[in-house]
Amino acid sequence: RTSAILSKMVYKRFVEIGRVAFVSFGEDQGKLCAVVDIVDQNRALIDGPNIRRQAIGFKFLHLTGFVIQIGHGAGTTAVKKAWEKEGIEEKWQQSRWYKKLQMKATRRQLSDFDRFKLMKVKQRRSWLIKMEMGRLKKAQKK
Amino acid sequence: LKQLESGLLLVTGPYKVNGVPLKRVNQSYVIATSTKVNISGVDVSKVNDDYFKREKAPKAKKTEDNFFAQSTEQKKELSEDKKKTQKAVDAALLKTLKTDKLLAKYLGARFSLTKGMRAHELQF
């Protein structure tokens, strides 16, 4: 996976046994799973700690940068073990992707009063920036 | 502040904060938010639907002079009594608002939708 050829390729994340993917649609939306086997051109068998073992279309999988070491067709317990070994949960939660999702979720849940507070804070921040900018400009003029 | 017998809601600005007096509001014109203000010190037991009944002005005699005279509409001033109740009700509220100045500002601000805000997706 760290070969010179791969480093020159446009695509960096491949569908492979053990590739961790993000489910983007359906009941299990937002959950992570690992590709356990390939069913056909469009579907993969996936499994994960919080998700039922199932065949799912590639269209609904967004590949992450993580891979776990499993054999093809590995059982649920084997997948779980490999998952924990790689520490996927922690890696995922430290990723920017996950943090952005969390941010979007909190924004969606803001009450009207929260939005008002946010607006005031943003105004304050831009005011501070403008003040500093003004100071810098003045210093430059001298 | 409370729900009246007629089903309407009794609200207040408070008057000093946003100019909204003690008034009745239909629930259909209201969106409830999750923000709560402590109204434990507020006494609105005397304010009912009767409080808001129209005060009948004395009928002017129908004489020719009156008919042709320019109708000077007398501005209906609020009775001193009502002003007092307004102040009394608001006093307790203003106390709690003093501790949370941002909430006071929030009550004084007008609601509007900006870019990207979809009303059906907003949480209030």
Side-chain angles (χ1 to χ4, degrees):
Chain A
R1 291 193 177 108
T2 54
S3 74
I5 300 167
L6 273 178
S7 67
K8 283 185 186 173
M9 287 188 89
V10 178
Y11 293 104
K12 300 220 167 93
R13 297 174 185 176
F14 300 102
V15 172
E16 52 195 308
I17 306 298
R19 171 65 61 184
V20 174
F22 175 85
V23 180
S24 63
F25 187 77
E27 263 181 41
D28 299 311
Q29 192 173 5
K31 293 186 191 167
L32 287 186
C33 62
V35 174
V36 166
D37 208 341
I38 311 287
V39 174
D40 60 17
Q41 194 185 340
N42 300 321
R43 291 187 301 155
L45 179 66
I46 56 148
D47 203 346
N50 302 316
I51 194 170
R52 196 178 269 211
R53 192 180 177 91
Q54 60 193 276
I56 191 171
F58 287 119
K59 277 190 181 174
F60 310 122
L61 296 175
H62 291 181
L63 305 179
T64 67
F66 313 125
V67 185
I68 58 169
Q69 301 293 335
I70 48 168
H72 79 267
T76 308
T77 35
V79 172
K80 198 175 178 193
K81 262 193 184 169
W83 194 278
E84 278 161 19
K85 193 173 174 201
E86 289 284 333
I88 299 295
E89 284 301 328
E90 226 209 286
K91 284 185 185 171
W92 171 238
Q93 286 183 6
Q94 285 178 359
S95 69
R96 280 225 176 136
W97 185 346
Y98 177 77
K99 286 178 187 165
K100 271 197 246 169
L101 287 172
Q102 294 302 98
M103 189 164 62
K104 281 188 189 173
T106 32
R107 280 192 185 163
R108 227 177 292 134
Q109 284 180 352
L110 289 181
S111 81
D112 195 47
F113 186 34
D114 290 332
R115 264 176 265 126
F116 179 79
K117 283 193 250 184
L118 184 67
M119 184 246 301
K120 287 290 166 191
V121 167
K122 278 188 179 178
Q123 281 179 345
R124 175 87 188 151
R125 185 186 10 158
S126 85
W127 181 82
L128 288 169
I129 292 170
K130 282 177 191 164
M131 288 287 278
E132 190 55 34
M133 191 62 180
R135 260 181 236 134
L136 290 173
K137 276 191 177 172
K138 226 184 182 185
Q140 203 192 32
K141 271 188 184 172
K142 285 181 184 174
Chain B
L1 297 167
K2 74 174 185 184
Q3 184 170 4
L4 302 167
E5 292 115 26
S6 59
L8 299 169
L9 302 173
L10 177 68
V11 296
T12 183
Y15 189 68
K16 285 229 160 154
V17 172
N18 55 16
V20 174
L22 276 168
K23 69 182 285 185
R24 297 183 294 178
V25 175
N26 194 311
Q27 295 198 33
S28 317
Y29 298 99
V30 161
I31 300 175
T33 65
S34 57
T35 320
K36 284 193 178 164
V37 181
N38 192 356
I39 59 163
S40 53
V42 177
D43 177 29
V44 269
S45 50
K46 290 182 197 161
V47 185
N48 296 312
D49 282 309
D50 298 327
Y51 181 88
F52 295 101
K53 247 191 179 160
R54 250 182 236 232
E55 290 168 19
K56 287 196 171 171
K59 270 190 172 178
K61 275 194 178 175
K62 282 188 179 173
T63 59
E64 269 199 40
D65 300 325
N66 278 5
F67 193 77
F68 288 112
Q70 272 198 321
S71 55
T72 47
E73 272 193 37
Q74 274 192 313
K75 229 189 173 185
K76 286 188 184 164
E77 266 265 350
L78 257 190
S79 67
E80 276 303 314
D81 226 16
K82 290 202 172 173
K83 286 187 185 173
K84 272 190 188 168
T85 0
Q86 178 78 56
K87 270 195 178 175
V89 167
D90 285 351
L93 279 173
L94 286 168
K95 253 191 185 176
T96 45
L97 285 181
K98 258 198 173 177
T99 49
D100 193 351
K101 288 200 172 153
L102 215 53
L103 185 61
K105 277 198 172 174
Y106 172 59
L107 288 172
R110 212 169 254 254
F111 175 78
S112 69
L113 292 171
T114 56
K115 222 197 241 188
M117 279 173 111
R118 298 191 189 103
H120 67 289
E121 284 177 355
L122 290 178
Q123 284 267 49
F124 286 96

